[in-house]
Amino acid sequence: MKKVAGLSLILVTLVTISSWAQSSSPALYQMRTKESSVTEKRFRKILGDNYDGQDQNRRAYDDDRKRRRKKQQQSTQDTDENNGYGSGPDYAWPTHLIEMSIRFAPSLDLNTAEGTGSYTGFRSNGAGVRMSVGPSLDYFFFKNRYAFSTGLWYTIKRSGFQMPGSFGQTIWNPGAPEKESIYNLQYLQVPLTVKLFANNIAPNMRLYIQTGGLVSIKLAERALDQPRNGLYLAESGGDRRQYGFGDVEMLLGTGIQYKINQNNAFNIGFSYQRGLINVARGSQLVSKNRVVALDLGFKF
């Protein structure tokens, strides 16, 4: 009987403890949580913070999650910036499809001279420094490496000749001193070109090549040193125009673009313009323009 009573007491005690452990009472839950917290603190104090390896695993998991999140954000940013065509300066899409710049170009001008008939003996009269200024526009049609480039440039060119002393006179005098003629020709130029940008040759710096043509419309012509300008005085006292209405030229240039921030850059380069048609109005005189320019620009 005593044994049966003892076993019954043990069973009742176990059932009570099990019910207490499974109870959803807030008070009992707080007691269990408090005891668990005290026990964990004792273990940490005796064995250290990483007594069960969970902190290290948690830190490794957090670090891995941060790395994956950063990589995903970088991938999303590259996709947004480059429109899904990879990353890097060679494949990035431009922030603006159309970019404007101001061009200032001091130039060295010269011209050819071939005369027949009454213009026999004409030859070029050296070179002179002139200038060109105006806005340029680049339209990027394939990523940020290929652009159609145009603009509107006000350009002053020099055209000069050496000629026999008897030119423009009714009597031929072989002993007359030679005459000279220098004109300033004012043009409005419209470039129709393509720019090709190469790989970066340095941080924020890349090389470009420009090729195409120019349509030049003459605005005015002005004879310099009119009292001694042989071409100006030759016919009707200078009333006659000596040059045609325009020119068509080939343009070839190269340079460097240096980017100073997201929107602005400096351009510096050289260009060569070669006239393709005769600009002299006289049918017996053939003269074509040649220009070598230092191109300075600011993109905005």
Side-chain angles (χ1 to χ4, degrees):
M1 293 297 292
K2 291 182 179 181
K3 292 182 178 181
V4 173
L7 289 174
S8 300
L9 180 60
I10 292 173
L11 290 174
V12 171
T13 303
L14 290 175
V15 171
T16 303
I17 292 173
S18 177
S19 300
W20 176 79
Q22 296 178 3
S23 174
S24 59
S25 171
L28 293 177
Y29 176 78
Q30 290 180 359
M31 290 176 62
R32 292 198 301 271
T33 304
K34 185 176 181 181
E35 290 179 359
S36 176
S37 177
V38 171
T39 303
E40 184 177 356
K41 288 181 179 178
R42 289 176 180 175
F43 273 111
R44 289 182 182 274
K45 186 175 182 181
I46 297 172
L47 301 178
D49 289 338
N50 194 31
Y51 70 95
D52 58 354
Q54 292 182 1
D55 290 348
Q56 182 177 357
N57 294 336
R58 187 180 296 108
R59 285 195 297 269
Y61 174 76
D62 291 340
D63 292 342
D64 183 64
R65 186 173 60 177
K66 290 179 181 178
R67 284 194 298 269
R68 284 188 282 109
R69 183 181 299 172
K70 184 177 181 181
K71 184 176 180 181
Q72 184 178 5
Q73 291 176 350
Q74 183 66 34
S75 177
T76 303
Q77 182 179 0
D78 291 341
T79 302
D80 292 341
E81 289 180 355
N82 304 326
N83 225 7
Y85 285 84
S87 60
D90 295 342
Y91 303 98
W93 285 82
T95 55
H96 306 287
L97 289 178
I98 298 178
E99 296 183 351
M100 297 286 295
S101 62
I102 293 295
R103 172 183 178 268
F104 176 77
S107 61
L108 184 66
D109 295 28
L110 58 149
N111 61 281
T112 64
E114 296 179 8
T116 58
S118 60
Y119 292 90
T120 301
F122 270 61
R123 62 182 187 274
S124 178
N125 186 19
V129 176
R130 296 296 186 269
M131 70 90 181
S132 176
V133 64
S136 294
L137 182 147
D138 295 336
Y139 174 75
F140 288 88
F141 59 86
F142 184 70
K143 301 184 181 179
N144 70 342
R145 300 188 63 180
Y146 304 93
F148 172 73
S149 183
T150 185
L152 197 62
W153 303 343
Y154 171 73
T155 301
I156 300 177
K157 295 183 180 182
R158 176 190 183 274
S159 180
F161 302 100
Q162 291 279 357
M163 62 198 71
S166 58
F167 175 75
Q169 298 180 2
T170 56
I171 300 176
W172 181 69
N173 182 8
E178 282 192 337
K179 299 177 182 179
E180 66 176 10
S181 171
I182 299 177
Y183 272 77
N184 277 346
L185 307 177
Q186 302 176 34
Y187 289 96
L188 190 63
Q189 293 184 306
V190 179
L192 302 171
T193 64
V194 174
K195 274 186 180 179
L196 295 84
F197 291 88
N199 296 337
N200 286 8
I201 59 176
N204 298 321
M205 185 181 298
R206 59 180 182 168
L207 179 74
Y208 71 85
I209 296 175
Q210 184 176 10
T211 182
L214 284 165
V215 177
S216 301
I217 301 173
K218 193 188 75 173
L219 301 177
E221 62 179 59
R222 180 174 178 271
L224 303 183
D225 194 12
Q226 295 180 3
R228 289 184 292 273
N229 191 311
L231 193 60
Y232 176 80
L233 298 174
E235 300 180 23
S236 304
D239 293 336
R240 184 176 182 271
R241 288 186 298 104
Q242 301 294 339
Y243 293 88
F245 290 102
D247 195 3
V248 176
E249 297 146 296
M250 177 186 69
L251 174 66
L252 180 63
T254 184
I256 293 173
Q257 182 183 82
Y258 178 72
K259 190 174 183 179
I260 57 177
N261 55 42
Q262 186 66 24
N263 298 316
N264 306 119
F266 287 110
N267 295 329
I268 180 170
F270 293 93
S271 63
Y272 172 66
Q273 300 176 20
R274 183 182 181 90
L276 302 178
I277 65 176
N278 179 25
V279 297
R281 196 164 181 267
S283 59
Q284 296 177 324
L285 177 62
V286 176
S287 179
K288 297 180 180 181
N289 292 322
R290 305 286 187 265
V291 177
V292 179
L294 172 64
D295 293 335
L296 304 174
F298 178 75
K299 189 194 79 172
F300 55 90

